[in-house]
Amino acid sequence: MTAIEADARLVDQLLTELEPVVAANLDRHLGLAKEWHPHDYVPWSRGRDFAFLGGEDWQPEDSPLDPVAQTAMIVNLMTEDNLPSYHREIATRFGRDGAWGEWVGRWTAEEGRHAIAMRDYLVVTRGVDPVALERLRMEHMQAGYDSGDKTMLQALAYVSFQELATRVSHRNTGRATGCPLAEQLLARISTDENLHMVFYRNLMAAALDLAPDVAMAAIRDEVVGFAMPGQGMSNFLRNSVTIAKAGIYDLRLHHDEVIMPVLKFWRIFERSDFGPAGEQARAELESFLVTLDAAAGKFVEQRERARARAAAR
C-alpha cells in the first residue's frame, strides 16, 4: 500500500468513526441555535433610492461610519461572501451523506444569512460606496477560495480556529462602528460563529482521541500556517494592518483569544497519548507559539507608542 492509499484509508476510517460524534454535536447545535431573520436587523426606514431610480447616488459624507469601521465592515463582508467556495471546501472534505452531509448543509444555510444581513445594513444606511462594494464582491467571488490540498483533519483543525477568529473580528468590528444597530447585528452573527466553532472544536477533540499523532500534526500545521480566508481579496494586507492598528483583530487577539483557548480545550500540552510523531509536532507547535507571543507583544508595544505620539501632537 502506498502512502497516499494509507492516508486515504485513514481519512475514510476517521470519517466513519467520527460520524456518531457529528450526529451528537449536530443535535446539540440544533438545540442551541436560535432562529433569526436578517431583515429584523436592518433599519429599512433609513433607506432611500439611488440615482438609477431617481434618487441620489452615494457620497462619502453619507456614511455614518469612520474609515476604519468602513474597512473592517467591508473585509468582514467580503470574507462572508465567499460562502460557495467554503461550502465546496467542507463538502469535499467531509462528504454530503449522513450526519456529515446534514451538518454541511445546515452550516451553509446559517452562514448564508451573514452576508445578506451585513450587505443590507451597509446599503440601506449608505455605510460604504455600494458600487465599489459590488465590484469588489464580483472580483473576490470570481477568484474564490481554495485551501489547497488540506486533509480532512487539517480542514477540521483550521475551521476550529477560523470560526473563532471570525467571531472575534465580527464582535470587535461591531463595537468599532459606534452604531448600536451594527453592533447588535454583528453580535448576532458572532453568536453563530461561536456555535460553529464549538461544533468543529468538539469534532477535533474526538479526532485527537482516535488518532492522536495525525491530529496533532494537523493542528500544528494549521496554527503555524494560519491565514484568514479573506487573504485573497484586493488590498487585504493593507486593510489587515488598519484593522490591527485599531485593535479589531491583531496578533495579540489571535494568540490570546483564538489559538490558546482552543488548544487549552484540547489539552494539547497536558496529553500523554502522543507517539514520537505527535510529540515532535507538539514541540514544534510550542516553539512557534513562543515566537507568535513575542511578535504579538512587540506589535502591541509599537502600537501603544504610536498612539502616544499621536496624542501628544
Side-chain angles (χ1 to χ4, degrees), residues 208-209 211-217 219 266-283:
L208 273 162
D209 290 338
D213 283 12
V214 180
M216 182 62 244
I219 291 167
W266 291 331
R267 300 175 47 253
I268 291 299
F269 298 110
E270 302 167 27
R271 302 181 72 99
S272 59
D273 54 351
F274 294 133
E279 291 288 359
Q280 180 179 347
R282 176 164 59 181

Side-chain angles (χ1 to χ4, degrees), residues 48-58 62 123-124 126 128 130:
R48 51 194 172 93
D49 292 344
F50 293 95
F52 185 78
L53 294 180
E56 296 180 349
D57 279 337
W58 183 86
D62 289 344
V123 173
V124 167
R126 296 185 173 234
V128 301

Side-chain angles (χ1 to χ4, degrees), residues 78 81-82 84-85 88 134-146 232:
M78 288 301 108
D81 266 328
N82 252 339
S85 289
R88 182 186 65 240
E134 176 61 8
R135 288 172 178 167
L136 182 58
R137 185 193 70 82
M138 289 289 292
E139 173 190 297
H140 188 51
M141 288 191 70
Q142 183 175 340
Y145 172 76
D146 185 353

Side-chain angles (χ1 to χ4, degrees), residues 83-93 108 143-147:
L83 179 61
S85 289
Y86 307 149
H87 171 86
R88 182 186 65 240
E89 291 285 321
I90 65 170
T92 299
R93 283 5 180 252
T108 303
Y145 172 76
D146 185 353
S147 67

